[in-house]
């Protein structure tokens, strides 16, 4: 359990690092877009190899398919709620919508890290890298926007520390949940996380990466996929 929390904190630490980078200096859209595209490619590989295929091996296609549908619907509905609060646009008047947006992305990702540890599979290096990299541009962009709006640096950093702690606790939650449910439920949870991540990638992460990185977005995405797929094969 301590190991699960430690790995969760490591994965979530990029939120704090991104916020720190965002309040210290401005970052061009192209740089953020390239990092975003790389992280998107890494997440696609992790969804494929660490969530869906692993779920198939645990309990077959049916629990994974059910989880995929439920995860996609849950993320879609929750994301619409965050959008109405202004959280996905970076311009909400309070820090809460931005924090909700980051939690919406981070909780299913990191819960799966804990599930893998509880199942005795060890840490998924490819998923860990994908989470770490994909967190950076979101935190950088949001922290930069908040600083530009006049928020004190300390307040911005404290908010992102809080987000990182809560998402890290999701790893612990996944570990605890996997301890008390069978393979079918574990496969369904992995499918749920995969469905949520695929909707996030399609609706938010990849379009934003393409808009910011322009012609190099595809290349960065494939490189991210290749790195994560390689790490998955060797982990």
């Amino acid at each position: 359990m301590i190991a699960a929390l430690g790995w969760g904190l490591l994965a979530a630490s990029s939120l704090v690092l991104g916020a720190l980078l965002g309040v210290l200096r401005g970052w061009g859209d192209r740089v953020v877009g390239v990092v975003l595209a790389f992280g998107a490619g890494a997440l696609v590989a992790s969804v494929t190899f660490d969530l869906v295929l692993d779920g198939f091996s645990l309990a077959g296609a049916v629990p994974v398919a059910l989880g995929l549908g439920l995860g996609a619907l849950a993320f879609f509905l929750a994301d619409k709620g965050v959008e109405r609060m202004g959280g996905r646009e970076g311009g909400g008047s309070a820090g809460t919508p931005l924090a909700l947006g980051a939690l919406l992305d981070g909780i299913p990702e990191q819960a799966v890290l804990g599930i893998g540890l509880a199942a005795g599979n060890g840490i998924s290096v490819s998923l860990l890298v994908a989470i770490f990299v994909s967190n950076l541009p979101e935190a950088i962009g949001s922290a930069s926007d908040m600083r530009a709006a006049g928020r004190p640096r300390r307040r911005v950093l404290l908010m992102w520390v809080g987000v990182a702690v809560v998402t890290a606790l999701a790893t612990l939650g996944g570990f605890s949940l996997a301890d008390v449910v069978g393979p079918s439920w574990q496969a369904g949870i992995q499918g749920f996380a995969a469905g949520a991540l695929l909707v996030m990638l399609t609706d938010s992460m990849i379009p934003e990466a393409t808009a910011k990185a322009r012609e190099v977005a595809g290349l960065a995405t494939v490189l991210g996929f290749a790195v994560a797929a390689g790490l998955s094969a060797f982990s």
Side-chain angles (χ1 to χ4, degrees):
M1 188 170 287
I2 294 175
L5 182 59
W7 285 114
L9 287 170
L10 177 61
S13 65
S14 59
L15 289 169
V16 180
L17 176 61
L20 185 61
L21 292 172
V23 299
L24 289 178
R25 56 158 291 181
W27 296 87
D29 280 353
R30 197 172 184 83
V31 174
V32 174
V34 168
V35 176
L36 202 61
F38 185 92
L43 279 176
V44 170
S46 295
V47 165
T48 303
F49 300 112
D50 297 315
L51 299 181
V52 175
L53 288 181
D54 187 58
F56 284 171
S57 68
L58 275 173
V62 173
V64 176
L66 290 173
L68 278 165
L70 290 172
L73 181 62
F75 186 95
F76 175 80
L77 294 175
D79 194 52
K80 289 300 178 185
V82 173
E83 278 184 1
R84 283 195 290 272
M85 296 176 67
R88 287 292 185 192
E89 303 301 324
S93 59
T96 300
L98 292 171
L100 285 174
L103 287 170
L104 202 56
D105 298 343
I107 287 176
E109 297 171 342
Q110 299 211 183
V112 172
L113 287 178
I115 291 170
L117 285 167
N121 299 328
I123 192 70
S124 169
V125 178
S126 59
L127 183 58
L128 181 68
V129 170
I131 293 171
F132 193 94
V133 173
S134 62
N135 280 342
L136 283 172
E138 180 172 21
I140 289 172
S142 296
S144 298
D145 288 346
M146 293 175 78
R147 276 296 294 148
R151 297 284 183 87
R153 288 181 180 176
R154 184 172 179 273
R155 184 177 174 188
V156 173
L157 290 174
L158 283 175
M159 189 200 76
W160 283 103
V161 167
V163 172
V165 169
V166 174
T167 55
L169 289 174
T171 307
L172 195 59
F175 183 91
S176 302
L177 186 62
D179 254 355
V180 297
V181 298
S184 293
W185 279 98
Q186 290 180 35
I189 292 167
Q190 292 187 198
F192 185 94
L197 288 173
L198 286 172
V199 174
M200 182 272 291
L201 286 165
T202 304
D203 287 354
S204 176
M205 198 168 181
I206 292 175
E208 187 177 351
T210 303
K212 290 182 175 179
R214 296 187 294 279
E215 71 276 4
V216 299
L219 178 60
T221 301
V222 173
L223 288 174
F225 183 94
V227 169
L231 289 172
S232 180
F234 286 109
S235 61

